[in-house]
Amino acid sequence: MTVEQNVLQQHSQKHQQTLLNQLREVTGTTDVQLLQQALQVSNGDMAEAVAFLTEKNAKVPQQDETTYYQTSQVASDRYISVGSQADTNVIDLTGDDKDDLQRAIALSLEESNRAFRETGITDEEQAISRVLEASIAENKASLKRTHTEVWSDSPNPHDRKRIESCPVGLKNVGNTCWFSAVIQSLFNLLEFQRLVLNYSPPARVHDLPRNQKEHRNLPFMQELRNLFSLMVGSKRKYVDPSRAVEILKDAFKSSESQQQDVSEFTHKLLDWLEDAFQMKAEEDREGEKPKNPMVELFYGRFLAVGVLEGKKFENTEMFGQYPLQVNGFKDLHECLEAAMIEGEIESLHSAENSARSGQEHWFTELPPVLTFELSRFEFNQALGRPEKIHNKLEFPSMLYMDRYMDRNREITRIKREEIRRLKEHLTLLQQRLERYLSYGSGPKRFPLADVLQYAMEFASSKPVCTSPVDDIDSSAPPGGTTGQPLPLPSTAEQDCLPPLESASLVSSPTTAPPAAQPQPQQQQQQQRVPIHKPFTQSRLPPDLPMHPAPRNITEEELSVLEGCLHRWRSEVENDTRDLQGSITRIHRTIELMYSDKSMMQVPYRLHAVLVHEGQANAGHYWAYIYDPHQRCWMKYNDISVTKSSWEELVRDSFGGYRNASAYCLMYINDKKPFLIEEEFDKETGQILSGMDKLPPDLKQYVKEDNELFDKEIEEWDILQARKAQQEKLALVAAAAAASAASNTSTSSSSPQPMSIESSPPDNAAPQQDPEYMEQPSPTNDSKHLQEDTERAISRAAAEQQERSPEALLNAAIKLEYARLLRFAQEDTPPENDYRLQHIIVYFIQNQAPKKILERTLLTQFADRNLAFDERCKSIMNVARAKLDLIKPEEVNMDEYEMWHQAYRNFRDTTVFMVTGLEFFQKTNYMEALMYLIYSYQYNRELLSKGLYRGHSEELLGHYRRECLLKLNEQAAAMFESGEEPEVTTGLGIMNELVVPCIPLLLIHETERDLLAVEDMRNRWCSYLGQEMESNLQEKLTDFLPKLLDCSTEIKSFHDPPKLPTYSTLELCERFSCIMAAVCRASSEGR
């Protein structure tokens, strides 16, 4: 055979395999012979082949409901070949349902084939183009939106600063969580990381690309190097992969979009990387067979041994990601065993020339990185859409592959045969055990040992024959009465009554006094008239036993029967124990079948698990990756990178719990440590880390990006300092204006001997105090504070012998401080918070410096509104003079302002909380949400500085959570109505209010918040399996990725709700009322 003939044959096989894959994906038919028959009948025409298969399936009668709803799995390729040996097309099955499915499929295939002939771009590449375009469009659109977005970066660059050497996250630029999960898994393979970072493009890259692959792959390879270098040395907490995604998007042109599939993307990504390294390898080794590092790292080979129509064959095939079916299996080994054997394989081992067909797969060469694709989606032919399989599937952290190796073929076959024999025996034993544990021939069955025990208890029971009427004391009068009992009816009459009526007549004597009782004849008539006897034929026999028991049994019979029953029960219990022991031993034997050392020589350790949460057509991806240096699992969820545990991985990855399950498993050869080992400096022998890992060009690239980030931080700090300075200047200007106004008013009356405003020192602080200290006019706040001050002065005057203003001031300050100290130390109910009544209480509880307390109290006694008599006026003047005499080194005014700002923040947080709780009590959840969100965030910041700086975090967290759940319930109810305005309003509530707040519940990972998020997601995911209008299905599909996105990036709300203005008294009253209502609601809930 010539080279040209060989190439043509390979191309023909590739084309036929591609057509088979398309037919299998579209129709759900897994019968290879039927698929080949369809291609032969249609002469390779895909439209006719689909029509042939759909018509053939339509002729199958629907026997019952079970058959109708039975689904067939979307089969994947058994192998993924390297380079151009096989190009697997993947058909998108996640679109809207069509009335004429067959016609739509045919048109789609015709369009796909025409596009491939014209452009050379496969359907798979077009599908990836669609999702990349959607991602980029979403990212660009986010820059134009005015309302708050979930993915908006924090304006404060300090929030985006990397903490020491923590791993760098990847920003989700619009439905690209699949990209982040795959890239992080590959990046943490240090050998792969080194290959990418040290890749240098071929010399001819500077010339015009010779083909489309070079035009696509080489720029992408450079952007991947840039991305990896930022992940190594960036000062940012997370980096933006948009440029790499942009390169991928520009490779193809399409207008449609969908969320990308992890295994599909990984497959194509490795193909592109393989092409890029192949170009370099061909240039470096001209004349020799080039080695491709991507192939050596990710691709292996297996031997397909089988029989086709009685003829034996052996073929060696190459694979990358190895597909495994999940449905019907409980663990990874069961999946592998099923994947390695297809069809009836008995003829493989026999010398007879059988016509049976089947094949076995035996690995001849395993790659260092072994990736399993778990097929968790199947196409429901009845519903015409894909569905996700949520079944539980366990997998080990250490996987031994010896039993699947070709060199162990014979011993594995022997062990498989032994396991098959043991399982057959196990089935028989379990059937025998079931007969003991479920004994009987009727619908209700019981353990045989219990049946014998019940029979023994029945035989041993003694009959107690007592009439129900005999148990009733008819002679006893009712409590508290002395009346005589009614005469009993005659025996005949009593026999005609049902038991309850008879008992009621006997036990219910009249309570009338003896003089008022009727004559016996009249009494008898009154008793007979109302008697109703519907159950006359159901009266109880007088000798009915009180409990089941033999009527007649002799001691000799009882002795014999008890002996037999006891002996039989002992025999049954022994047999049951023996069967259970045998079953346990067989299970143990099967488990240990491959545990000998000869079958534990090919260990593969779990490196990464890619998890999908959601349904077939919507969801979110993240990755668990093992860190061998810290010896712990890390969770990579877009921008969030956190420490995790094996227990959390199991919960999220095995499936069967929530809607999350593993979708892709990445194992690495445990005997090849170079895969995860750090690189050492050849001269010093030190481990290379950070920027030292990078080649010169990437060092410069990262250095420039870090300089930009440093500049951003510096500009932010300058801006914040400028804002703070402007605020101070504004306060000074306001104080000066107030002083001028005061001077004008005082000059028209009488001159003051000591005017604070007349000549303030250069270093004096602004004299305008906040509303809780002093007001320019006598408001409610200043009146309240004025009354407290006047009471302190009056008490000081009464107790103090020296009547000078300074002595009175000192005494009054001491009395006021003592009063406020008692408030600060007093245990109060939740509805009474003294911190709201006076700033000094807040300062005392939070251990403010003494100088801050003294100056604050002086400011209180320097209030101009005290000047209603000469004594208070003189004390006020002394206080203001003392304020003037305080030197800058005595009281740090920055610290003084910081403490007063902290108290203003506390009051603002309280107003947010009170307003939000009031709206919540009125069931106005939309208005309440923003107030509760801001109160929780501000309160958390306060509590981070001290226990008494804020309110109960648990209380605010509860109402924040409940408000979101209530809104979610309202929005879900609107969506369920199906009415267009209601649906739009409901989804608007979710998109504008609920979804942006979900990261706030996820960031701290409290159990109740996580459960609330899970409840909200489950409510919306439950709609996926329901029938609904196509427009509702489309809206739900667009909405769910936003809801299921697990990123913990905190969204910044640009416009906090406006705060109502409350005086101190009004705020205390409102706080007291709402807290009392909250306490009542809490006690009623308990």
Side-chain angles (χ1 to χ4, degrees), residues 16-67:
Q16 183 177 12
Q17 183 64 40
T18 302
L19 294 177
L20 285 173
N21 291 335
Q22 286 185 345
L23 277 178
R24 184 186 298 128
E25 294 278 359
V26 172
T27 64
T29 303
T30 56
D31 190 333
V32 178
Q33 293 183 351
L34 184 59
L35 293 171
Q36 291 175 342
Q37 181 185 357
L39 286 178
Q40 291 175 356
V41 170
S42 62
N43 291 324
D45 187 293
M46 287 298 297
E48 293 186 12
V50 171
F52 173 81
L53 290 173
T54 51
E55 289 174 2
K56 192 173 187 66
N57 291 336
K59 295 177 182 178
V60 179
Q62 298 179 355
Q63 299 177 354
D64 53 22
E65 188 176 359
T66 304
T67 306

Side-chain angles (χ1 to χ4, degrees), residues 45 141 228 266 322 452 576 644 689 711 763 805 973 991 1000 1034 1038:
D45 187 293
F228 272 29
T266 308
Y322 201 82
L452 295 173
T576 302
S644 185
S689 61
K711 185 177 180 182
N763 58 5
N991 285 321
L1000 299 174
E1034 182 179 354
D1038 291 340

Side-chain angles (χ1 to χ4, degrees), residues 594-612:
Y594 296 98
S595 62
D596 52 292
K597 289 185 178 180
S598 63
M599 300 299 285
M600 300 176 70
Q601 300 301 309
V602 188
Y604 272 78
R605 184 178 57 75
L606 186 62
H607 163 70
V609 180
L610 277 63
V611 179
H612 175 267

Side-chain angles (χ1 to χ4, degrees), residues 798-844:
E799 298 176 4
Q800 187 73 16
Q801 294 181 356
E802 185 180 352
R803 296 304 180 104
S804 66
E806 185 172 1
L808 288 176
L809 174 63
N810 292 334
I813 286 178
K814 289 181 180 179
L815 288 172
E816 179 70 356
Y817 178 78
R819 180 180 74 91
L820 298 174
L821 180 62
R822 287 196 302 273
F823 286 163
Q825 295 173 344
E826 184 179 331
D827 290 332
T828 59
E831 59 269 20
N832 188 13
D833 193 335
Y834 286 125
R835 293 175 299 173
L836 294 174
Q837 297 181 19
H838 205 290
I839 188 176
I840 293 296
V841 177
Y842 180 86
F843 283 175
I844 292 173

Side-chain angles (χ1 to χ4, degrees), residues 60-72 378 380-383 387:
V60 179
Q62 298 179 355
Q63 299 177 354
D64 53 22
E65 188 176 359
T66 304
T67 306
Y68 179 78
Y69 284 105
Q70 185 177 4
T71 60
S72 63
E378 61 183 7
N380 189 323
Q381 289 181 321
L383 299 178
E387 293 180 341

Side-chain angles (χ1 to χ4, degrees), residues 85 301-304 314-318 364:
Q85 291 181 3
R301 287 180 173 79
F302 66 83
L303 184 67
E314 285 191 5
N315 293 325
T316 300
E317 298 174 355
M318 186 170 281
T364 57

